Amino acid sequence: MARIIPICILLCLILYSSSLVAQEVDTTLPTAEAGKLYFIPLPAIGYNPVTGLLYGVAASGNILLGDPSDTRLSSAFLTTTYTTNSQLLMTLKSTVYSKHDKWISMGDWRLLLSSQPTYGLGTGKQSELLLSNEENNFELGKYNDGVDKGELMEFNLFRFHETVLRQVHEDFYAGVGFHYDGYWKINDVLLNLDSDPPYVTNHYAYSTIHGFRTNGYTTSGPSINAVYDSRDNINSPYKGRYAFLQFKMLPTWLGSDRSATQLWLEYRDYFSMSRRVERNILAIWSYFNLTTSGRLPYMGLPALGWDQFGKSGRAYPQGRYRGEHLFYFEAEYRFRIPIQPKHPERFGGVVFVNTISASADDLKLNLFDHFKSGAGVGFRFMLKEATRSNVTLDYGYGMDKKGAFYFNINEYF
C-alpha cells in the first residue's frame, strides 16, 4: 500500500494541473543577478540498511560570474554526512562557467569512509562461472553476474576529478582533465576462504583473476574532453541540449595499478510538450561508459550511480549493476502543477523510466545482451525561482521488485 499512495497522489496532481492549464497565469520567473550567491542549505537525514541512520548537511550554491546575457549559471553541491554505521561521506561536485562563458570547470571530489553492497558484473540472469587460479592452486568458486544478494564491502575512497575546458565556438568547448581514484582498506565482509566450501566474493574473484590487490588499488591519469552545451539553465533546463565526450588515459607510470583507457559519451535533450507552459517538457538522458583498453579494478569499472552527480539509476542502489562496458538511458516527463496562482511555477511533478545494460567479459556477456529497467514518479518544489532550484522527492521501482524514495536538490539531468 505504501508504494501505491505516492503514485495516486501524483496522478491526482496531474489531473488537477490539466484542469488549470487553460487559465491565464504569469509564468515569468525572476532572473539571477550577476555576482549574487544563491545558497540553499538543507539538513540531510535518512535511513537504509547499509548506512543505518544518516544525518548531516547538504547545500546547493549558484552564482552568475558575468552578465546574464552571455554567462551561464554556475552550480556547486556540497554534502557532509555521517551514519550510525560509522560511515563518513563528504562530496563536492561543481560546474563553473567563467565570465562570458569562456571557460568551464567541472569537479567531482569525494572522501568516503564507507561501505556498500556489490552485486557482481553484468545485467544478465544469475549464472555461475567456475574459475581457477593455477598459480595459487585454489578454485575461486562462484563468480556471479547480477546476483540478487548484495555482498557488503567496506572501503575508503579519495576521488579528485577536475576538468577545465576553453570555449572554441559558441556552445562548443574543448579541454583537459585529471582523474585520481584511490581505494584503500577494502574489506570483503562475506569473504571466507577458510569455510567449507570457501565463500569467494565477486570482488575477490575478479581482483585475483586480473592481478589486482584485494585490499586497495588506484586509477590515475589525464583526459581529453569536449562539451556542447546550449541549455538555458543548469539546474532545470526547459530547452537546449548537452553533449559530453571524455577519454581517460590511466597509465601505470602515473600511479594506476594497471594501464587502461576509458571513454565516456553522454547526451541530454529537452523537448517542449506545451506551447503555453514552458515547464512541460520531455527530457532524455543517455550515456555510454566504456573500457576501451587494458583492465580497470573492480570498483573502478563503470557502474550505475557513479556518474559525476550520482543521479543515474533511480529505482536501484548505487553500484547495483557494474561491468567493463555500461549503457544508460532515461526519459522523464516534467510538468507544472499550478496549485498556487501567484506562483504557478512553484510546484511540479515528473514521471520517469530508465534502463541499463552492463557487460561482463569473464562471463561472456556483451553489452545489450540484457537490460534492467526502472520507473517512477516525483514531486518538485521550486525553492529559488531566480535559479530554478528545485527540491525533489522521487519514488522509483525496479525489476528486482524493490522500490526506494529519493530526496535531492535540482533536477536529475
Side-chain angles (χ1 to χ4, degrees):
M1 181 61 71
R3 294 171 178 168
I4 298 174
I5 291 174
I7 299 175
C8 293
I9 293 174
L10 194 61
L11 288 175
C12 291
L13 290 173
I14 293 172
L15 293 174
Y16 181 64
S17 66
S18 299
S19 68
L20 296 179
V21 74
Q23 296 182 13
E24 292 293 335
V25 292
D26 181 12
T27 61
T28 304
L29 292 175
T31 57
E33 300 176 21
K36 180 178 179 180
L37 176 63
Y38 295 84
F39 186 68
I40 304 175
L42 289 173
I45 301 174
Y47 176 85
N48 65 64
V50 175
T51 65
L53 178 64
L54 178 149
Y55 51 93
V57 294
S60 173
N62 292 105
I63 191 171
L64 268 174
L65 297 178
D67 191 280
S69 64
D70 65 0
T71 305
R72 292 180 174 89
L73 193 66
S74 297
S75 175
F77 189 67
L78 173 69
T79 64
T80 300
T81 57
Y82 192 76
T83 77
T84 52
N85 287 347
S86 301
Q87 298 162 319
L88 176 65
L89 314 173
M90 302 174 66
T91 67
L92 175 60
K93 304 172 184 182
S94 60
T95 303
V96 178
Y97 293 87
S98 71
K99 189 175 182 179
H100 308 305
D101 284 348
K102 292 299 183 182
W103 294 88
I104 303 177
S105 174
M106 299 187 298
D108 180 1
W109 304 359
R110 310 184 194 189
L111 175 61
L112 309 180
L113 311 181
S114 187
S115 59
Q116 186 177 97
T118 65
Y119 298 83
L121 303 185
T123 48
K125 298 177 180 178
Q126 185 170 327
S127 60
E128 297 178 2
L129 184 64
L130 204 61
L131 300 166
S132 63
N133 186 313
E134 296 179 359
E135 181 180 347
N136 292 309
N137 194 29
F138 68 88
E139 285 190 341
L140 293 176
K142 296 180 179 180
Y143 181 29
N144 300 318
D145 68 300
V147 294
D148 294 328
K149 180 181 178 181
E151 297 172 340
L152 184 63
M153 186 167 69
E154 298 172 345
F155 65 94
N156 296 340
L157 165 66
F158 173 70
R159 166 172 289 185
F160 176 83
H161 291 191
E162 193 68 36
T163 302
V164 178
L165 304 102
R166 181 70 162 86
Q167 188 179 50
V168 177
H169 178 71
E170 293 183 356
D171 298 324
F172 182 74
Y173 298 78
V176 296
F178 188 81
H179 311 269
Y180 176 89
D181 286 293
Y183 296 86
W184 77 100
K185 289 188 177 179
I186 295 177
N187 175 32
D188 276 320
V189 175
L190 296 182
L191 177 68
N192 190 345
L193 299 178
D194 296 325
S195 64
D196 186 18
Y199 187 96
V200 177
T201 62
N202 288 275
H203 172 264
Y204 184 87
Y206 176 92
S207 299
T208 304
I209 292 165
H210 297 295
F212 290 99
R213 291 174 294 135
T214 58
N215 62 347
Y217 33 70
T218 299
T219 62
S220 176
S223 67
I224 54 175
N225 304 264
V227 165
Y228 176 85
D229 189 0
S230 63
R231 296 171 297 174
D232 64 331
N233 182 279
I234 193 172
N235 295 326
S236 179
Y238 290 169
K239 57 185 177 181
R241 54 185 55 89
Y242 176 87
F244 179 35
L245 179 151
Q246 181 177 84
F247 183 70
K248 292 182 188 176
M249 295 155 283
L250 307 168
T252 54
W253 59 270
L254 280 177
S256 298
D257 282 44
R258 290 190 60 178
S259 293
T261 59
Q262 195 171 18
L263 178 64
W264 176 279
L265 297 170
E266 180 178 5
Y267 181 75
R268 310 179 191 186
D269 213 333
Y270 307 88
F271 304 93
S272 173
M273 302 298 288
S274 170
R275 294 181 179 179
R276 301 174 62 88
V277 183
E278 190 177 25
R279 185 172 178 172
N280 290 5
I281 64 168
L282 175 66
I284 62 171
W285 176 27
S286 181
Y287 68 78
F288 285 90
N289 193 3
L290 310 173
T291 306
T292 46
S293 70
R295 182 69 63 175
L296 291 166
Y298 187 86
M299 288 294 287
L301 289 168
L304 185 66
W306 280 88
D307 50 284
Q308 180 190 8
F309 288 95
K311 291 187 173 182
S312 60
R314 277 174 291 178
Y316 294 103
Q318 185 185 48
R320 177 63 180 87
Y321 297 109
R322 185 185 309 267
E324 286 85 4
H325 309 297
L326 186 146
F327 167 76
Y328 182 77
F329 176 83
E330 181 163 349
E332 182 173 81
Y333 175 54
R334 302 172 183 171
F335 53 90
R336 185 182 71 187
I337 304 175
I339 57 179
Q340 190 175 5
K342 291 185 178 181
H343 298 278
E345 299 294 308
R346 182 67 56 82
F347 297 96
V350 302
V351 179
F352 64 88
V353 294
N354 56 48
T355 190
I356 181 175
S357 179
S359 67
D361 290 350
D362 294 328
L363 299 168
K364 303 188 186 306
L365 287 175
N366 299 316
L367 195 64
F368 304 129
D369 279 354
H370 302 277
F371 288 86
K372 299 294 183 180
S373 301
V377 296
F379 181 73
R380 301 290 181 266
F381 176 75
M382 192 173 290
L383 198 60
K384 295 280 187 181
E385 293 184 338
T387 59
R388 294 190 206 163
S389 297
N390 288 319
V391 175
T392 69
L393 177 63
D394 296 87
Y395 179 80
Y397 190 76
M399 291 177 65
D400 57 0
K401 298 182 180 179
K402 298 177 182 177
F405 285 96
Y406 301 84
F407 179 73
N408 220 313
I409 299 177
N410 297 329
E411 294 299 342
Y412 278 72
F413 59 95

